[in-house]
């Protein structure tokens, strides 16, 4: 049996991901007073560096919470009770936006697409003709539940010519796949620390465009902790005590990202995704997404052969090899497995995972 507490586990799930020891060490520095000059300057620097990763000149804020905090902040600040939100849904995480909209008593208009297929811009255009008063559009760039990469750029071209605010979750892709917040006309973009940033869980990042601020300023939001107006008022400090140690970790993570170079980092993720698909196919596995073109660069969903239970695959991988991979969510629980290849992983971890997966499948077929 693998000892789970001694760092022997190889995390090949779509978050949380392996955290480099450099980041862990950076987080052990003494706690600075969060309103003091030294911390404040460091904090603002990290926000400027985050903007480069987002590729935006919009405001960026760091929230204390997992990625979902940024999703909730995005939607809850922009949309008031009874207002229409167009939710583009093709997986578990895009569904979450609909649930958040329901919670805040907004009127969710759901455009459903088959899980495993990408979102179709034509349907989005039609929805605007039918509902010209849509206040916001939500979508997920990299749908982690299905391994599908959605056409944010194309949808952004449509939404930019309307009054609607374009809210995109890029939590499982930012700093691992090409994403252009400003170039793709994304008004509000949500990201998180524990995926491609290779940090521990606990930070969420959010960008806010001028167009989004107009909507936020005219919305009577009922949020308190996640009220973005509070964050705008004093940009040198977070409105509430930030997780100081995680900010040290973020600085180190951004150092690593800059050392590698964002484009090279994205390329590495794409290359790993290609290896996973190629090797998986060579061992007789089918990819779950409808086509190679829509496959994610950071997580690969694979169909499990008939007669084999994904839970058994995951158990053998964990107990025998100490490798953690993910299963499917919702109705895909019994039919797919997912391999995360995000953050700092390289070919060593990828080939080890695939080789052990092959041995696992062979053992389960016997
Ligand atoms: C991981 C993830 C989230 C956020 O989940 P948290 O548990 O709140 O961090 C949201 N959307 C996508 C696409 C994700 O992959």
């Amino acid at each position: 049996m693998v000892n789970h507490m001694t760092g022997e586990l190889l995390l090949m799930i779509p978050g949380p991901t392996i955290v480099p020891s450099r980041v862990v060490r950076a987080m052990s520095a003494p706690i600075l007073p969060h309103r003091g000059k030294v911390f404040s300057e460091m904090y603002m620097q990290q926000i400027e560096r985050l903007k480069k990763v987002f590729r935006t000149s919009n405001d960026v804020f760091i929230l204390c919470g997992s990625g979902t905090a940024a999703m909730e902040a995005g939607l809850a600040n922009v949309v008031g009770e009874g207002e229409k939100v167009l939710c583009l849904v093709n997986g578990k995480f895009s569904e979450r936006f609909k649930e958040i909209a329901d919670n805040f008593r907004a009127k969710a208009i759901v455009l459903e697409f088959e899980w495993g297929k990408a979102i179709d811009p034509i349907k989005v255009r039609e929805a605007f003709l039918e509902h010209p008063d849509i206040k916001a559009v939500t979508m997920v760039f990299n749908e982690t539940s299905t391994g599908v990469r959605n056409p944010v750029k194309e949808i952004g071209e449509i939404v930019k010519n309307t009054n609607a605010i374009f809210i995109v979750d890029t939590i499982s892709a930012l700093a691992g796949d090409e994403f252009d917040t400003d170039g793709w006309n994304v008004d509000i973009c949500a990201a998180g620390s524990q995926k491609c940033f290779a940090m521990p869980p606990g930070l969420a990042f959010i960008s806010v465009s001028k167009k989004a601020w107009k909507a936020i300023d005219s919305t009577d939001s009922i949020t308190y902790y996640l009220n973005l107006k509070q964050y705008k008022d004093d940009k040198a400090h977070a409105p509430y005590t930030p997780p100081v140690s995680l900010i040290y970790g973020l600085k180190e993570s951004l150092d690593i990202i800059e050392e590698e170079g964002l484009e090279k980092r994205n390329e590495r993720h794409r290359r790993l995704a290609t290896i996973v698909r190629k090797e998986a196919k060579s061992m007789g596995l089918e990819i779950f997404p409808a086509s190679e073109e829509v496959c994610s660069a950071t997580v690969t969903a694979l169909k499990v052969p008939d007669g084999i239970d994904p839970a058994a695959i995951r158990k053998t991988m964990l107990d025998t090899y100490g490798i953690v991979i993910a299963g499917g969510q919702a109705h895909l629980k019994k039919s797919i497995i997912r391999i995360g290849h995000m953050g700092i992983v390289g070919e060593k971890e990828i080939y080890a995972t695939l080789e052990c997966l092959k041995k696992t499948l062979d053992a389960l077929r016997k």
Side-chain angles (χ1 to χ4, degrees):
M1 270 299 254
V2 176
N3 186 334
H4 290 197
M5 297 312 292
T6 53
E8 282 176 49
L9 286 189
L10 180 57
L11 295 185
M12 299 301 289
I13 47 178
T17 60
I18 301 164
V19 177
S21 51
R22 268 176 69 179
V23 172
V24 176
R25 274 198 304 276
M27 290 194 309
S28 66
I31 300 295
L32 286 166
H34 69 286
R35 298 205 167 269
K37 187 166 177 286
V38 176
F39 183 77
S40 170
E41 278 175 4
M42 198 274 261
Y43 185 75
M44 286 190 291
Q45 275 164 11
Q46 305 327 308
I47 288 180
E48 289 310 308
R49 297 170 86 194
L50 274 175
K51 287 183 187 177
K52 291 189 193 142
V53 180
F54 274 85
R55 294 172 70 181
T56 189
S57 56
N58 294 334
D59 286 326
V60 167
F61 301 100
I62 300 172
L63 310 174
C64 178
S66 71
T68 305
M71 296 173 76
E72 176 159 337
L75 200 47
N77 278 272
V78 163
V79 181
E81 194 175 327
E83 291 184 316
K84 286 184 188 171
V85 185
L86 179 66
C87 299
L88 310 179
V89 175
N90 63 342
K92 186 78 187 158
F93 290 100
S94 36
E95 219 170 59
R96 184 170 294 177
F97 270 131
K98 191 253 175 214
E99 290 168 9
I100 296 170
D102 288 346
N103 258 276
F104 284 91
R105 314 274 184 270
K107 193 170 178 331
I109 300 160
V110 178
L111 264 189
E112 287 246 29
F113 300 85
E114 200 184 314
W115 288 31
K117 290 199 172 150
I119 285 161
D120 179 1
I122 291 170
K123 294 277 189 301
V124 177
R125 226 180 268 280
E126 288 168 4
F128 269 104
L129 292 177
E130 198 182 327
H131 306 278
D133 54 344
I134 288 169
K135 181 90 181 279
V137 177
T138 65
M139 80 181 282
V140 170
F141 171 49
N142 189 69
E143 187 37 271
T144 318
S145 61
T146 60
V148 166
R149 189 179 190 274
N150 282 308
V152 169
K153 186 179 178 206
E154 285 73 6
I155 310 286
E157 287 294 324
I158 299 167
V159 182
K160 90 170 176 197
N161 298 317
T162 71
N163 291 324
I165 304 304
F166 189 29
I167 304 174
V168 179
D169 161 352
T170 181
I171 294 169
S172 61
L174 198 70
D177 192 7
E178 189 198 345
F179 192 87
D180 187 353
T181 303
D182 291 357
W184 295 353
N185 300 291
V186 178
D187 293 305
I188 292 189
C189 180
S193 57
Q194 82 276 26
K195 310 243 167 140
C196 302
F197 282 84
M199 280 187 64
L203 294 182
F205 313 124
I206 187 167
S207 75
V208 184
S209 72
K210 288 200 179 71
K211 184 179 173 186
W213 277 126
K214 274 198 196 129
I216 293 169
D217 288 337
S218 64
T219 300
D220 196 13
S221 173
I222 57 168
T223 53
Y224 184 87
Y225 190 73
L226 296 174
N227 197 312
L228 293 173
K229 287 176 206 157
Q230 299 284 342
Y231 288 78
K232 191 187 184 187
D233 286 348
D234 177 7
K235 288 183 181 159
H237 308 97
Y240 318 107
T241 316
V244 171
S245 311
L246 282 169
I247 305 297
Y248 301 157
L250 174 63
K251 178 176 180 296
E252 197 68 26
S253 161
L254 290 166
D255 283 349
I256 293 171
I257 291 170
E258 282 176 16
E259 283 162 25
E260 183 176 16
L262 189 57
E263 254 170 60
K264 284 232 171 73
R265 194 176 176 92
N266 295 341
E267 261 169 44
R268 170 169 55 84
H269 282 82
R270 264 200 304 280
R271 190 177 74 243
L272 296 179
T274 309
I275 294 173
V276 172
R277 293 200 296 273
K278 184 164 165 279
E279 295 293 317
K281 280 189 282 187
S282 80
M283 63 177 96
L285 296 174
E286 261 181 84
I287 56 169
F288 175 72
S291 71
E292 295 264 342
E293 289 74 52
V294 303
C295 279
S296 158
T298 61
V299 55
T300 299
L302 299 167
K303 290 185 195 167
V304 164
D306 284 343
I308 296 184
D309 182 2
I313 299 176
R314 294 178 58 219
K315 185 171 176 359
T316 304
M317 290 287 283
L318 178 63
D319 292 348
T320 312
Y321 305 110
I323 298 176
V324 198
I325 60 170
Q329 292 166 293
H331 66 272
L332 299 176
K333 220 180 176 93
K334 289 272 170 213
S335 53
I336 66 167
I337 50 171
R338 292 172 302 144
I339 299 175
H341 29 87
M342 49 179 81
I344 57 157
V345 292
E347 293 184 16
K348 179 175 79 175
E349 290 82 7
I350 293 294
Y351 282 114
T353 303
L354 293 164
E355 186 57 29
C356 294
L357 177 60
K358 189 165 182 295
K359 288 191 189 311
T360 298
L361 289 172
D362 287 347
L364 291 171
R365 279 194 181 106
K366 277 186 191 137

